Amino acid sequence: MQRYPRNMQGYGGRPPAADWPGGARIAVQFVLNYEEGGENCVLHGDAASEAFLSEITGAQPWPGLRHWNMESIYEYGARAGFWRLHEMFTSRDIPVTVYGVATALARSPAQVTAMQEAGWEIASHGLKWVEHRDMPRDEEAAQIVEAIRLHTEVTGEPPRGWYTGRCSVNTVDLVTETAAFDYVSDTYDDDLPYWREHAGRQQLIIPYTLDANDMRFAIAAGFTHGEEFYQYLKDAFDTLYAEGLAGSPKMMSVGLHCRLIGRPGRAAALAKFLDYARRHDRVWFPTRLAIARHWAERHPAPAPWERPSQMPKEAFVTKFGGVFEHSPWIAERAWEMELGPAHDTAGGVHNALARIFRSASEAERLGVLTAHPDLAGKLAAAKRLTPESTAEQAGAGLDALTDEERVRFTALNEAYVAKFGFPFIIAVRGLTKDDILAAFQRRIDNGREEEFAAACRQVERIALLRLRDMLPA
């Protein structure tokens, strides 16, 4: 694999200021998954019954058969659970985003009316609540189109948000290609929204959650009673709220299902958490669409730019071939590595180039060292340095030496090269002439092995500083 598609970089420990409305320290967002009537069922033309997220431990699909117990569990969500949750949220004036499976919404007109009258956002949860992992790409694309059509027919307006849930590796790309959505939520990889580029389009991603989610009542390693759920939500809220107070506001997503949290033995825990969160100041309770619109306004999609990991080899070498002085072979080899989004920063490209430099033979590394000019040497005087070296030496005042200083540098340069076989190398940025002379005099007393290692470290440091002038941090 030459190009690694997964993004391990994200905001890199430097998240943007969320700037939530009203100076909120946290955005707490509730999702109600409405899947009842859209699950696997032979009545729906599926090959087998549903086996996912129910009260039945170890449920298995029944090929060609209706599963009466499973159907009735899902029906509980529509018949009872939904209305309990509807009253819980509307009585507290907390808005909800519904992830609505299109076929489920079509079978629940009363619930759809209640969602709309409450002012809830109804996002798309796909056409059917089924697995997509093995679905051919063209078939999934067709289902997305049909989900949008049916959703629009049932609710009167197209969905602005999308979450498949049981998605495939193609889902986010396919939804992005429709250019129909303000956000997509089929990721779990951050505490803030972010932009993802695909097929020339920037798609806003609002990550979802599987941890602060009542689905864990239906899995073996999950919650066993409501108090565990409440405590987990409280701990998540407290952590994110504290981060917000410290100046880094985040988003908290809570995932709910009518047939799970809608049961009376669990609903009390949710109500307890709602009241706990409401007692805090500077808490924003938005829909996901409100978050999307806020983020697009405050943090609009970035302008297109040439990402290092996506550059053709010639362009990559042209741009980065001089970062290690006169040593384009380093960039040539680095381009052959497994590059990805994590390498689209100064630190990322530096890591790739430095790995090549470190793994090179001693003779090759010596060649990089000898490619560097003497400090304030003959090449500088003849104005034959690279633009980078010229700027670096000038920044340290080495282009304006006194006659006495020039004599001193010349003597040290000659003594250093005679002893080590390569020029004295130091990252001069931020240093004065006196700092450089002091380092020169100190390091000339090193042994060759020690000094070779020190020079290599300085070469890497120079490369990093150059890259920081070229790329985002």
Side-chain angles (χ1 to χ4, degrees):
M1 183 186 297
Q2 190 185 35
R3 291 296 175 264
Y4 192 67
R6 297 171 63 195
N7 188 340
M8 304 299 207
Q9 178 72 12
Y11 290 122
R14 302 170 66 179
D19 192 25
W20 299 134
R25 300 295 88 193
I26 185 174
V28 183
Q29 202 287 305
F30 295 92
V31 168
L32 183 59
N33 292 269
Y34 197 86
E35 300 154 352
E36 290 75 11
E39 79 279 11
N40 283 287
C41 179
V42 296
L43 294 176
H44 305 159
D46 300 307
S49 61
E50 186 56 71
F52 191 47
L53 294 187
S54 77
E55 309 292 341
I56 302 174
T57 302
Q60 296 296 317
W62 288 8
L65 297 174
R66 292 180 64 185
H67 193 316
W68 191 266
N69 292 347
M70 182 65 72
E71 289 179 20
S72 67
I73 287 171
Y74 270 76
E75 288 160 14
Y76 181 91
R79 293 162 58 107
F82 171 82
W83 299 106
R84 180 171 287 119
L85 297 171
H86 180 268
E87 191 282 330
M88 186 184 297
F89 281 97
T90 56
S91 67
R92 291 169 172 80
D93 197 27
I94 295 178
V96 168
T97 290
V98 176
Y99 285 165
V101 174
T103 51
L105 296 175
R107 296 181 174 112
S108 298
Q111 290 88 338
V112 169
T113 297
M115 297 171 193
Q116 293 175 322
E117 290 180 347
W120 293 357
E121 175 201 358
I122 309 178
S124 181
H125 200 5
L127 181 64
K128 301 173 70 173
W129 177 232
V130 298
E131 285 287 359
H132 293 73
R133 64 182 184 185
D134 298 321
M135 191 176 290
R137 197 179 196 279
D138 57 349
E139 181 180 342
E140 185 175 3
Q143 289 212 6
I144 291 170
V145 171
E146 175 59 14
I148 297 171
R149 186 204 68 77
L150 182 58
H151 185 110
T152 305
E153 180 181 282
V154 170
T155 69
E157 56 186 6
R160 304 307 310 164
W162 181 278
Y163 175 75
T164 296
R166 299 160 83 172
C167 67
S168 76
V169 72
N170 298 314
T171 300
V172 177
D173 287 348
L174 289 171
V175 177
T176 299
E177 289 167 17
T178 69
F181 293 93
D182 290 13
Y183 70 89
V184 179
S185 287
D186 274 297
T187 72
Y188 312 95
D189 53 3
D190 214 304
D191 296 314
L192 287 173
Y194 63 89
W195 295 94
R196 177 181 184 270
E197 185 177 353
H198 170 70
R201 173 177 168 77
Q202 292 283 358
Q203 176 65 66
L204 183 64
I205 305 294
I206 302 183
Y208 187 44
T209 177
L210 295 181
D211 66 310
N213 192 309
D214 67 359
M215 69 169 286
R216 293 181 59 196
F217 283 112
I219 61 175
F223 305 120
T224 57
H225 54 81
E227 192 61 28
E228 289 180 333
F229 184 55
Y230 166 74
Q231 189 62 48
Y232 191 89
L233 296 184
K234 178 181 180 298
D235 289 346
F237 176 91
D238 289 346
T239 298
L240 294 172
Y241 191 75
E243 290 180 8
L245 291 175
S248 184
K250 303 293 196 320
M251 173 186 71
M252 178 180 178
S253 297
V254 181
L256 307 170
H257 298 76
C258 302
R259 63 190 176 281
L260 297 176
I261 200 67
R263 294 281 178 175
R266 301 173 184 137
L270 176 60
K272 184 177 178 181
F273 175 71
L274 296 181
D275 293 338
Y276 176 79
R278 289 174 73 229
R279 288 198 297 270
H280 289 72
D281 295 327
R282 302 170 77 183
V283 177
W284 184 36
F285 295 100
T287 63
R288 293 178 91 72
L289 184 57
I291 291 175
R293 289 172 173 166
H294 170 85
W295 202 264
E297 178 185 344
R298 295 293 198 278
H299 303 282
W305 65 289
E306 194 172 28
R307 299 178 182 275
S309 67
Q310 298 173 11
M311 286 181 175
K313 185 173 184 177
E314 183 178 353
F316 187 90
V317 175
T318 298
K319 189 172 183 69
F320 304 116
V323 170
F324 280 73
E325 194 88 0
H326 294 298
S327 302
W329 60 268
I330 294 178
E332 290 171 358
R333 294 184 196 175
W335 186 87
E336 302 288 348
M337 297 174 66
E338 183 190 86
L339 303 182
H343 297 96
D344 291 336
T345 64
V349 173
H350 182 261
N351 180 265
L353 297 176
R355 285 175 60 188
I356 297 300
F357 177 63
R358 294 166 191 164
S359 61
S361 68
E362 182 171 337
E364 288 175 318
R365 284 181 286 150
L366 178 60
V368 176
L369 300 188
T370 58
H372 277 261
D374 290 335
L375 292 180
K378 295 179 181 178
L379 291 178
K383 300 187 183 302
R384 291 171 55 195
L385 300 180
T386 64
E388 294 84 1
S389 291
T390 298
E392 289 158 1
Q393 293 202 23
L398 299 184
D399 62 339
L401 298 178
T402 65
D403 290 342
E404 181 181 350
E405 289 170 336
R406 187 172 292 106
V407 168
R408 181 64 177 148
F409 267 100
T410 299
L412 284 169
N413 279 328
E414 292 175 352
Y416 186 95
V417 173
K419 179 175 181 178
F420 298 114
F422 51 84
F424 177 74
I425 300 170
I426 188 169
V428 299
R429 187 173 303 184
L431 301 181
T432 65
K433 291 181 289 186
D434 291 339
D435 295 331
I436 296 167
L437 277 171
F440 217 147
Q441 292 165 335
R442 182 179 63 255
R443 285 172 49 187
I444 202 169
D445 293 330
N446 288 339
R448 188 182 187 283
E449 182 177 350
E450 181 182 4
E451 188 55 23
F452 186 86
C456 287
R457 288 194 297 271
Q458 290 299 315
V459 165
E460 291 187 20
R461 173 68 179 164
I462 292 168
L464 178 60
L465 293 173
R466 290 175 176 179
L467 285 165
R468 285 177 176 170
D469 291 337
M470 302 165 68
L471 292 170

